[in-house]
Amino acid sequence: MIGQHNTDAVTLAYINLYAVLGTLENLCRLDEEAKALIADRKVSVGFAVQGGPAATLYFDHGTCTLKSGAERCDIRIPFSSAEKFNGMIDGTVTPVPSKGFTKIPFLLKRFTRLTDILTRYLKASPEDLQDPAFFEKSTTLMFYTIASAISQIGNHDKVSRTSASYMNDGIIRLSVKDGPTASICVKDHRLRTVKKEPKAPDARMEFGSISIARDLFDGKVNSLACIGTGDIRMGGMISMLDNMNRILDRVGLYLA
């Protein structure tokens, strides 16, 4: 686990729920096996972390949607602390549902398989990445995880809340050229990620290609150097981008 002095468990719980498990939304669109696993199912799984986040994944005949709150769900899994929830994500804690016992087979089989597929993409082996189709899906899913993590870190991480406090209201368009796009929406210094194209962004940051995005995500290249070479293009309200980049720098600490 990451050094606690650099990061905190509650922020990590928000990232694990909204950014990591939230990427199941995109996985079920991009991966045929994932889609097939839930093609004949309509079930919702809620996670409620004491002192932390609560959200529900809705699986509905091949689609997956994450929504805040865990009051109305078929299977409810409570956690007494952020550490316990993070333990479920890294495989050291076995979750115990408080509701939905008849649906536990879905949790043990299909849901576990979905998270295994997601892990294969997000923690891809060098061998898997040799396949161009896998490389593109893996990097696209990483993009959505990172875009969602930016908002959770900006809202909950002590260091990054300072950066968020300097951000004006507006929308940042974050994208990969010819690839995925997300909107980072800022209102009253709170950040929210919407995984689609914004109508009228105030600032833009675009990675020049899927391979440049990958190298950045893997820490193989430096974002400042990429701006210098034109591999990252930025425009609009630069102060918003500066502060978002400070938050982005902390994503790696949490997602390592």
Side-chain angles (χ1 to χ4, degrees), residues 199-243:
K199 284 193 176 72
D202 301 278
R204 295 173 305 285
M205 180 169 166
E206 182 178 78
F207 306 121
S209 67
I210 202 98
S211 57
I212 284 291
R214 184 80 202 196
D215 284 347
L216 264 162
F217 299 162
D218 289 346
K220 290 180 180 165
V221 293
N222 173 291
S223 57
L224 278 175
C226 290
I227 292 162
T229 56
D231 285 322
I232 293 179
R233 293 184 194 85
M234 302 205 302
M237 205 183 285
I238 296 299
S239 67
M240 282 186 89
L241 295 170
D242 275 348
N243 285 299

Side-chain angles (χ1 to χ4, degrees), residues 5-70:
H5 60 286
N6 285 327
T7 59
D8 82 279
V10 173
T11 302
L12 183 59
Y14 276 94
I15 294 165
N16 278 331
L17 186 46
Y18 284 100
V20 178
L21 290 181
T23 301
L24 289 170
E25 293 180 324
N26 309 93
L27 179 76
C28 293
R29 284 193 206 114
L30 282 177
D31 183 273
E32 290 306 319
E33 186 191 346
K35 200 180 290 179
L37 276 168
I38 54 166
D40 60 348
R41 286 286 181 275
K42 184 170 183 179
V43 62
S44 55
V45 184
F47 302 90
V49 182
Q50 200 171 329
T56 300
L57 285 162
Y58 295 87
F59 299 100
D60 188 355
H61 298 91
T63 66
C64 171
T65 312
L66 180 77
K67 292 182 181 167
S68 286

